[in-house]
Amino acid sequence: MLSRKNKLLLFKLLSLFSVVRGYNILVITLAQYLASIFILAPNATFKSVVLDLNLFLIVTASALVIASGYIINNFYDAEKDLINKPRKSMLDRLVSQRFKLTTYFILNFLAVLAASYISFRAVLFFSSYIFGIWLYSHKLKRIPFLGNLVSASLAIAPFFVVFVYYRNFETVIFVHALFLFLLILAREMIKDLENMAGDMAQNYKTVPILYGPKISKILIGFLIVLTLVPSILLIRTFDVGYMHLYFVACIALLGLFLILLWKAGGKKHYVWLHNILKFIIVAGVFSILLIDVDLVLNRIL
């Protein structure tokens, strides 16, 4: 049996994991490596990509900055989350605000340190990334639609830095990026509908608060329709192997999403819609393996 002190320590570790959303960071790390192997550096060997020290440092710095970003966002949203996410907020509060800030600065320092082993340009990028996340959390997220655009841009930044590292400027890369960006932007706007109660209490000027849920749903629907464009291009124009099955499934699921969006009328519905988009994004990470099934089978067998 665990002692009371050990139980408290365990809960604090779970609290910190909840604050930094460790599960999201694991998915993003996996996505960076899979994108590098199957999309950005398809001609490189599996071993050369996995053992690339610079790529490892880029992925590590990305993970550290993202974790620190979740911490500073949690710090500024503490009061709002008490309304929007009471259960998660109670778990998060097991770790003091002072400890969160200390961890925030340590993670950022380690990220810049890791970047310094790559190049000065990497240091500039990750320093700008850290500042961008802070500016978003402190100011920009309160500005309607601009906050959503910035949030979606920050979310795809870890993939942008890997893309620049490999200097792969093929059109298919930009189409993949557009698909992901539109999905994330739609998800950010769904979160605004989901969190209206807390946003109103904290005087956040989001799109659904300023213009109403109906206008917000129209904008989200428009983004989802736009998402169908890169989906169709990736099915019909580009060679993405068996990953085209993923995009076919996405079109069907996004069609269902539009129907549910139109009928949605409360937080419970918006949570479901948010989870649908989250499922599509996470499934997309694992579906990257379908681009070259032969390579995957050769590594397993």
Side-chain angles (χ1 to χ4, degrees):
M1 293 291 289
L2 290 173
S3 66
R4 185 174 180 181
K5 185 177 180 180
N6 288 336
K7 283 183 180 179
L8 182 60
L9 178 62
L10 178 61
F11 279 121
K12 285 187 175 183
L13 288 173
L14 288 173
S15 174
L16 187 60
F17 187 81
S18 173
V19 170
V20 302
R21 301 186 191 180
Y23 43 86
N24 282 358
I25 295 173
L26 289 173
V27 170
I28 292 169
T29 298
L30 178 63
Q32 284 178 293
Y33 269 109
L34 291 179
S36 298
I37 295 167
F38 294 99
I39 300 176
L40 299 171
N43 297 321
T45 64
F46 179 86
K47 185 177 179 180
S48 66
V49 174
V50 173
L51 298 181
D52 186 335
L53 178 60
N54 283 342
L55 177 61
F56 172 76
L57 291 172
I58 288 172
V59 171
T60 299
S62 300
L64 292 169
V65 173
I66 293 167
S68 72
Y70 281 130
I71 289 174
I72 199 65
N73 196 54
N74 178 274
F75 178 82
Y76 284 116
D77 283 353
E79 298 302 320
K80 186 180 78 168
D81 287 344
L82 275 174
I83 301 171
N84 291 329
K85 305 169 185 177
R87 291 183 181 178
K88 183 179 184 300
S89 183
M90 293 305 294
L91 177 62
D92 293 350
R93 281 175 173 251
L94 289 175
V95 178
S96 69
Q97 296 290 69
R98 182 178 179 180
F99 182 80
K100 289 176 187 176
L101 283 181
T102 301
T103 306
Y104 167 76
F105 287 113
I106 291 173
L107 291 176
N108 285 334
F109 171 77
L110 292 175
V112 174
L113 183 64
S116 68
Y117 282 91
I118 305 168
S119 68
F120 180 67
R121 286 186 297 177
V123 172
L124 287 178
F125 172 82
F126 283 105
S127 297
S128 301
Y129 191 23
I130 291 166
F131 175 75
I133 291 175
W134 172 81
L135 186 62
Y136 163 76
S137 300
H138 184 54
K139 291 287 186 184
L140 298 181
K141 73 184 305 178
R142 296 174 179 267
I143 303 175
F145 199 67
L146 175 63
N148 302 117
L149 281 172
V150 173
S151 179
S153 300
L154 291 171
I156 66 169
F159 302 99
F160 172 78
V161 68
V162 177
F163 155 75
V164 171
Y165 174 65
Y166 283 108
R167 298 181 182 277
N168 188 332
F169 301 104
E170 292 185 20
T171 306
V172 66
I173 307 299
F174 292 98
V175 179
H176 272 284
L178 178 61
F179 172 79
L180 179 61
F181 177 79
L182 290 171
L183 274 183
I184 293 174
L185 182 55
R187 191 191 69 167
E188 290 300 316
M189 295 193 70
I190 281 288
K191 284 165 66 177
D192 285 344
L193 284 168
E194 184 183 336
N195 298 329
M196 281 184 67
D199 289 344
M200 289 180 70
Q202 295 299 312
N203 200 31
Y204 278 46
K205 305 299 182 184
T206 60
V207 172
I209 289 174
L210 287 179
Y211 306 106
K214 185 175 181 180
I215 295 297
S216 188
K217 288 201 285 186
I218 290 172
L219 289 173
I220 294 167
F222 178 67
L223 290 171
I224 294 300
V225 171
L226 286 181
T227 305
L228 299 178
V229 176
S231 298
I232 293 170
L233 285 174
L234 288 164
I235 292 169
R236 299 179 61 88
T237 306
F238 300 101
D239 181 14
V240 292
Y242 287 103
M243 194 181 181
H244 76 274
L245 297 173
Y246 163 77
F247 291 108
V248 170
C250 279
I251 291 174
L253 198 52
L254 290 174
L256 174 64
F257 177 91
L258 288 172
I259 295 171
L260 295 175
L261 175 66
W262 184 253
K263 294 182 176 180
K267 182 172 180 176
K268 183 179 179 180
H269 301 134
Y270 298 135
V271 170
W272 272 101
L273 291 169
H274 179 189
N275 288 334
I276 289 173
L277 292 183
K278 193 170 184 178
F279 171 77
I280 291 173
I281 293 169
V282 174
V285 172
F286 292 97
S287 71
I288 294 174
L289 294 167
L290 298 174
I291 292 176
D292 193 339
V293 175
D294 291 335
L295 175 61
V296 176
L297 292 176
N298 288 337
R299 296 301 170 187
I300 295 174
L301 300 176

